Amino acid sequence: MTLYRKGLSNDQEAIIHLGNYVFDTDFPALLPKLYSPSVNTATSHFLAEEEDGIKALVGSFPLDLHVLDYDLKGFGIGTVCVDPDARSKGYMKQLMTNALAEMHEEKADFAVLGGQKQRYEYFGFTPSGTHLNFTLTATNLRHHHIVASPDFTFKSFDALDTPTLSCIHKMHHSKPLFSTRSFQNFISICRSWKSESFAIYNKNELCGYVLYKNNCIEDFYVSNSDLLIPALASLMQTLSWNECTICLNTYETALIKLLINICEGYTTRLSTCLNILNYQNFINAFLNLKKSYTALEKGHLVLEVQGTENLLIEVGKNINVMPTTLEADLSLTHLEATHLLCDPLQVYIDYHHDKSRLIKSWFPLPFAFCSIDNV
């Protein structure tokens, strides 16, 4: 008989053992923020247990986003695994159903995960969100007469004292869009996914930080955008990189303008698999973020996400998103609505609708978050 239950603190070792076995990895080393000896996240797992032990599990971890003045409650699904000898018994379907039910009970606004598209679309998740990856090479820098400067130095987070780490923690939480990172778990978050982390100093004064994996800069902060390129040139010399990738969000328009004039090129990639659980809160937060950096077409749209209440979205001097009994201008399934709101390719879709110009002005929303925060 299968017992479906939430994990208990004494399940941590068994959870890690099953995850390591199924994925052939070392989860404490890969995700210290969740599985290091100093952290116990067992109660964030949904388990399928038989008489001889745990056979399947799904992790559901808090992943809250702060968007301007809006707090969005989110969850990240991860460590989804089934013992190879216990597959095709419906464990995963039931565990995912249980995890989503709890998210609704806790009034979550969204959930994310990484995984194969068709498998998780059955649960409401689909690839969405936009990241921009810029490629910067040594040749690009040379032709723009940008050279490394001894003014810039870099220190590993491991070598920093508590006050300095506190300053960097505040830098992360000063962005228009950020994932909440507890100070207690800050270093282990920054080490996750085999990432490296450096504080950036300019003339011995702290001016930012950088998180990178291989040659890809996943997260960074500089106190002045004018420091970014010389700091990158100095970092590339320090790490003996001939090129690197800088990941930006679409709201970072000043940095986009700066990099597009120097970098070799860029690519657009989807951020994650997204499941919007509260359309009203989600649209309100990210549409306000978009309004903060670009002009939006004024007007209104009644959106029906089939199976939920209609939403009236109004953009004028202020943005209002509210339930309405008005007839829908646009009626979409849940997956269609997710792509409308957050897929970068939606701007190429012709809706054959008198609201098409307004739709292309408002969407896609600038949803994305640092991959290091993913689970």
Side-chain angles (χ1 to χ4, degrees), residues 280 300-305 308-314 320-330:
Q280 182 178 357
H300 67 274
L301 174 75
V302 178
L303 173 65
E304 178 192 11
V305 181
T308 68
E309 59 190 357
N310 290 6
L311 286 178
L312 171 62
I313 309 169
E314 295 179 321
N320 296 301
V321 183
M322 65 194 77
T324 182
T325 57
L326 294 174
E327 183 179 352
D329 296 308
L330 199 59

Side-chain angles (χ1 to χ4, degrees), residues 130 139 155 181 201 252-253 306 368:
T130 308
T139 301
K155 291 183 182 179
R181 299 174 183 169
Y201 291 84
E252 297 175 290
T253 52
Q306 294 162 18

Side-chain angles (χ1 to χ4, degrees), residues 131-149:
H131 271 129
L132 303 174
N133 285 356
F134 287 83
T135 301
L136 179 66
T137 70
T139 301
N140 299 149
L141 294 171
R142 185 173 68 253
H143 280 276
H144 283 270
H145 310 290
I146 300 168
V147 297
S149 168

